[in-house]
């Protein structure tokens, strides 16, 4: 939608409302769209993306140039920049979503009740999904594709730093929709960079069914605080690995290494390592060498420092910290109960893992740790839509209601009740 | 919890916070409680309720006397009053919930991924559920039982008019918990009648995971507006029956009669009857006689009045109205599309039914009408937790996220991801 910047408030509100109304109308069409039409749109969009690779890269170059002129740091530029390979991957992602089963309309659990009616559940789109995100332009393709396949209209609000990139990508999606005979308003990009547009978007009850903010913590907290529509949000990822007294120490070193060092800046990276006293000496000396060799700063409890001399003393704040950096906090605990207490007190209910060979400990950890992903003998880094088989994700939810953990097609749908009778009435 | 009325704000806040902390602690114990212990608590509570029938009825008599003295109307007294039969039914309800399968800990869809990990879902309690309700004291037993069985701690806030009844019922539940060795704080009653307690309850992020308001629309709107925790809410029930051109008119009369007249005051009662022009003459003359004979006031469109002379002319407001009374609005429409347009514009996404013998029309209605319950050839009055086989319900949700429609044990739970490996790491 073309919308100039610096609109007066009332005109901005009207413009956003028009966007919402168009989305609501498109959502009704999309909810009943055949699977084949949705897939055709995704494949046509992928083709358009490949054909217009140069246009997309040129648009991205404009954004990158502006970001550099503003003195943005390397990490920022890194998230913003697109390469030919990235464009190909976006196109491949669209084709991948096309191959996923269509969740919409699936009926489950249809069964007869004593009254004679049949009662079951039908999976249905949520309606209109607003996605608010920063820098990464590939979110435009991912989020648009997932919303389309799940039968939702979406309103995308990318960061101002990626305006030209997002527009070029959205044009390909619009092309796909058009070719498949689906309403172009099914995927709309908010083109004004006015920050007030976000405020309007998250307050449009009746036009927006759910908001998914993707980005830094301050963005998500602001959206969650001010939203008048439901928010699927991802706050902190303070993830733990607990090495149990019954752990196989070779597996424990492998998991604790991977969970911390495979990537430092992701939400499913382990921040705190908990170690049962029984194996602290043997295990910490091993993992300490790994971390030191990789340049990971270690902040440990007093007991940890007996076994890892390079470790600094951790403070209370360290147990709450999501470092997103080559830093790890380590605490020696008496055993499973103390580990689970620590996770309950300091964790963020994102992803937590136990390393153990003991059946009962594994079962207790799985049942009792209240996090969106709970793992046995596996790296926390697996908490991801692709790894879980969702094909893609619009984000990872730390909500307790609706979707928890990676949110894919299913998280973008709900279930309504269907009742089939033959003139049945209630007595 | 004993809590005097008229506490100063800061003391009320502290008292509510203490309630929240106790609930959170109990929730962790309850989440891991064995099925047998939860069932034992329910059965012991049922027994206590039968043994103390006289005490409960005496407490209720105090409430009823006070309500009469305050000049409350008959409908109000009706909702408040308990009989020996009602107490028996509450006890039977507790036993019924004990027989339902335990949803907690059930693992589904556990499958291997190409990386070698197994990924699946485990059903888990939400944590702490706050229920805010008016007059009906039996909600105390129902809601307490459902929360307990689903592994949630609950904080119950009944209306001041039912204080003594609620306390007497809650004492039986506490007895059951104690006998089964479960924490008594698993089911807590807010004993102050101070309205500010509700404001505190719905703002206790970190201690309350979800709020379920049950009562009049003004209560629900106030809770939804001010809540800082998620709300499972039930707003309007503007339910429709659409009689299609291909309807079997005998079935149509039966369904339209039952949907309107079986009970007038319930949310799943039909408010608006939509009739395809093709059958308007034949059908409306029949159903008109039924409604007139039962004293139902008819407000129809101009065309309706051609066939039902007793009908008044409906205004635009009638199409939005939830009468909860012996009043029906009737509109003649061209066919399925106009009917679905009407439902989309004026409905409340609660429960809508089509009467038709046509396969394609039934399929389109099921797929395209975006309501929490969608029915073919069945009365809207079936939209109910008992009728759907949930055993009981804490309410009916008109939310689109999380639970839609009747909310039973499953709606009080969520699913977390479980990942099982053998030292697997991400590459």
């Amino acid at each position: 939608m073309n919308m100039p910047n610096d609109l007066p408030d009332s005109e901005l509100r009207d413009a956003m409302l028009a966007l919402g109304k168009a989305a609501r109308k498109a959502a009704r069409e999309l909810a009943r769209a055949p699977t084949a039409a949705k897939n055709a749109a995704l494949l046509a969009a992928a083709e358009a993306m490949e054909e217009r690779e140069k246009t997309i890269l040129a648009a991205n170059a404009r954004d990158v140039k502006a970001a550099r002129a503003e003195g943005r740091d390397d990490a920022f530029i890194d998230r913003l920049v697109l390469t030919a390979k990235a464009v190909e991957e976006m196109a491949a992602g669209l084709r991948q979503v096309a191959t996923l089963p269509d969740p919409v309309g699936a009926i489950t659990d249809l069964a007869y009740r004593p009254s004679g009616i049949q009662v079951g559940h039908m999976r249905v789109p949520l309606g209109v999904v607003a996605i608010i995100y920063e820098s990464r332009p590939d979110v435009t393709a991912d989020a648009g594709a997932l919303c389309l396949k799940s039968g939702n209209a979406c309103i995308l609000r990318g960061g101002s730093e990626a305006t030209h990139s997002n527009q070029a990508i959205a044009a390909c999606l619009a092309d796909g929709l058009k070719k498949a005979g689906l309403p172009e308003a099914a995927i709309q990009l908010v083109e004004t960079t006015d920050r007030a547009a976000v405020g309007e978007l998250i307050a449009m009850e009746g036009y927006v069914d759910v908001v998914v903010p993707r980005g830094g913590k301050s963005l998500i907290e602001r959206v969650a605080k001010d939203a008048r529509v439901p928010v699927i949000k991802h706050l902190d990822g303070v993830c733990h690995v607990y090495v149990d007294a019954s752990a196989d120490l070779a597996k424990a070193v492998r998991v604790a290494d991977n969970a911390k060092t495979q990537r430092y800046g992701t939400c499913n990276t382990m921040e705190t390592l908990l170690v049962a006293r029984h194996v602290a000496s043997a295990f910490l000396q091993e993992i300490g060498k790994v971390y030191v060799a990789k340049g990971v700063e270690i902040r440990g409890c007093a007991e940890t420092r007996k076994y890892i001399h390079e470790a600094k003393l951790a403070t209370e704040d360290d147990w709450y910290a999501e470092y997103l950096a080559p830093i790890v906090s380590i605490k020696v605990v008496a055993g499973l109960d103390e580990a689970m207490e620590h996770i309950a007190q300091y964790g963020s209910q994102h992803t937590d893992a136990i390393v153990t060979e003991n059946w009962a400990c594994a079962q207790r950890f799985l049942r009792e740790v209240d996090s969106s992903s709970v793992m046995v003998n596996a790296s926390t880094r697996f908490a991801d839509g692709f790894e879980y088989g969702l094909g893609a994700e619009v984000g990872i939810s730390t909500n307790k209601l609706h979707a928890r953990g990676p949110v894919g097609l299913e998280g973008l749908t709900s279930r309504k009740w269907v009742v089939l009778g033959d003139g049945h009435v209630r007595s």
Side-chain angles (χ1 to χ4, degrees), chain A:
Chain A
M1 173 175 198
N2 279 312
M3 202 190 290
N5 289 327
D6 305 318
L7 280 174
D9 280 2
S10 67
E11 285 182 39
L12 177 70
R13 180 160 301 165
D14 288 347
M16 293 302 293
L17 213 59
L19 219 65
K21 283 181 183 167
R24 173 62 69 213
K25 186 160 176 285
R28 285 191 60 201
E29 288 182 56
L30 222 55
R32 60 176 184 253
T35 308
K38 295 188 285 188
N39 289 345
L42 290 165
L43 298 177
E47 213 165 298
M49 218 166 264
E50 286 167 343
E51 282 168 15
R52 291 191 230 152
E53 184 187 297
K54 280 188 185 143
T55 316
I56 296 171
L57 293 179
N60 184 247
R62 276 181 72 182
D63 289 332
V64 171
K65 194 178 164 192
R68 281 198 210 282
E70 284 172 23
R72 299 291 197 162
D73 65 22
D74 286 352
F76 187 96
I77 302 288
D78 228 42
R79 287 196 296 274
L80 179 58
V81 78
L82 289 175
T83 59
K85 183 158 172 276
V87 176
E88 280 157 37
E89 279 173 3
M90 274 195 289
L94 295 178
R95 292 197 175 97
Q96 157 88 358
V97 173
T99 67
L100 295 175
D102 188 343
V104 178
I107 294 181
T108 48
D109 316 317
L110 193 66
Y112 282 98
R113 296 288 308 149
S115 61
I117 57 173
Q118 282 174 284
V119 178
H121 278 119
M122 184 192 283
R123 198 160 277 288
V124 290
L126 294 175
V128 177
V129 179
I131 300 182
I132 299 165
Y133 53 105
E134 296 174 327
S135 32
R136 297 188 187 278
D138 52 336
V139 173
T140 308
D142 279 2
L146 285 172
C147 287
L148 171 59
K149 183 70 183 244
S150 55
N152 293 288
C154 65
I155 302 176
L156 305 174
R157 180 27 156 105
S160 54
E161 63 283 354
T163 301
H164 301 100
S165 314
N166 289 337
Q167 285 174 358
I169 294 165
C172 299
L173 299 174
D175 226 53
L177 290 166
K178 204 171 167 183
K179 280 203 178 126
L182 294 174
E184 283 184 59
I187 304 175
Q188 296 180 99
L189 194 64
V190 179
E191 296 205 346
T192 172
T193 56
D194 190 338
R195 281 186 77 177
V198 171
E200 293 296 331
L201 197 54
I202 63 180
M204 293 207 291
E205 295 168 286
Y207 296 107
V208 172
D209 293 296
V210 60
V211 172
V212 186
R214 290 188 59 168
K217 202 175 161 186
S218 69
L219 168 77
I220 294 167
E221 283 180 336
R222 189 163 59 93
V223 167
K225 189 177 150 287
D226 296 334
R228 277 158 53 191
V229 300
V231 179
I232 294 180
K233 64 177 176 294
H234 168 268
L235 289 170
D236 309 279
V238 181
C239 303
H240 299 78
V241 171
Y242 164 60
V243 177
D244 186 46
S246 311
D248 173 320
L249 294 191
K251 293 179 195 169
V253 170
R254 203 154 68 232
V255 168
D257 175 13
N258 185 266
K260 182 71 241 180
T261 71
Q262 201 241 347
R263 269 180 78 185
Y264 293 113
T266 51
C267 61
N268 55 19
T269 298
M270 173 191 73
E271 307 295 356
T272 300
L273 178 61
L274 301 168
V275 182
R277 185 157 295 126
H278 185 70
V279 293
S281 167
F283 173 69
L284 285 176
Q285 293 183 49
E286 282 303 308
I287 195 70
K289 281 183 228 158
V290 173
Y291 289 150
V292 170
K294 293 190 175 179
V296 176
E297 180 186 327
I298 302 168
R299 302 184 188 173
C301 65
E303 216 168 328
T304 298
R305 297 177 77 207
K306 286 201 273 178
Y307 309 114
I308 307 178
H309 304 298
E310 291 85 350
K312 297 178 190 165
L313 189 63
T315 65
E316 177 75 2
D317 284 349
D318 280 305
W319 311 126
Y320 288 108
E322 183 178 16
Y323 300 118
L324 299 170
I327 307 172
V328 68
S329 59
I330 304 181
K331 189 178 187 185
V332 176
V333 294
L336 178 63
D337 283 301
E338 192 184 335
M340 293 199 297
E341 277 300 328
H342 181 101
I343 292 169
Q345 184 174 354
Y346 299 102
S348 64
Q349 306 190 299
H350 189 295
T351 299
D352 299 293
I354 185 173
V355 183
T356 188
E357 297 298 310
N358 180 287
W359 171 262
C361 290
Q363 290 293 102
R364 281 197 60 201
F365 193 88
L366 283 175
R367 170 90 184 243
E368 296 178 30
V369 172
D370 187 20
S371 301
S372 69
S373 288
V374 187
M375 303 183 169
V376 176
N377 295 332
S379 169
T380 55
R381 287 281 297 128
F382 279 115
D384 173 282
F386 292 93
E387 294 293 339
Y388 284 0
L390 306 183
E393 63 184 30
V394 288
I396 294 185
S397 163
T398 53
N399 290 5
K400 292 186 89 170
L401 267 69
H402 195 68
R404 290 186 85 172
V407 179
L409 293 179
E410 194 177 295
L412 291 171
T413 60
S414 186
R415 295 186 312 169
K416 68 184 178 189
W417 296 89
V418 294
V419 175
L420 312 182
D422 194 29
H424 287 78
V425 297
R426 192 161 163 192
S427 54

